[in-house]
């Protein structure tokens, strides 16, 4: 997740109950969190919901970020692979 894409965390934090996995990533962003394939699946769903709540495809910058990250998380979920995040 690039620095300019961190806006997703600000949006998600406005409704922690709706986006618990995105908020988890945000709170542990610089602690190199580990994610299971099921968490990756839930993150992909939350990202799609986040986009839908914030203008959908007409929000080009958010849409580009969500599409890229959703693809990444879906791949991990489909391949039943866990993920280890690493901050810079």
């Amino acid at each position: 997740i690039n620095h300019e894409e961190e806006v997703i965390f600000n949006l998600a934090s406005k409704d922690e109950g709706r986006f618990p996995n995105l908020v988890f990533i945000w709170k542990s962003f610089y602690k190199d969190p580990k994610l299971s394939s099921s968490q990756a699946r839930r993150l992909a769903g939350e990202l799609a919901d986040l986009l839908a709540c914030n203008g959908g495809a007409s929000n080009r910058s958010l849409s580009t970020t969500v599409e890229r990250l959703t693809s990444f998380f879906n791949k991990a979920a489909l391949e039943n692979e866990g993920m280890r995040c690493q901050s810079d």
Side-chain angles (χ1 to χ4, degrees):
I1 299 173
N2 298 321
H3 292 290
E4 66 274 5
E5 297 172 326
E6 291 179 32
V7 68
I8 63 172
F9 300 132
N10 292 328
L11 296 171
S13 70
K14 293 177 184 177
D15 193 346
E16 289 188 36
R18 190 172 188 171
F19 306 108
N21 292 286
L22 285 169
V23 172
F24 166 78
I25 293 290
W26 185 36
K27 289 181 177 179
S28 58
F29 194 62
Y30 293 104
K31 297 176 187 170
D32 302 333
K34 294 178 182 165
L35 305 172
S36 67
S37 60
S38 61
Q39 284 176 301
R41 184 177 296 106
R42 290 191 300 270
L43 279 162
E46 287 182 20
L47 284 165
D49 192 21
L50 185 74
L51 179 60
C53 294
N54 290 280
S58 64
N59 186 337
R60 288 184 155 259
S61 62
L62 183 60
S63 181
T64 300
T65 297
V66 166
E67 287 174 15
R68 188 178 72 75
L69 294 175
T70 298
S71 172
F72 179 69
F73 289 125
N74 275 332
K75 182 171 175 60
L78 289 171
E79 294 179 3
N80 201 31
E81 292 288 334
M83 301 169 63
R84 187 179 67 190
C85 304
Q86 187 173 1
S87 63
D88 54 358

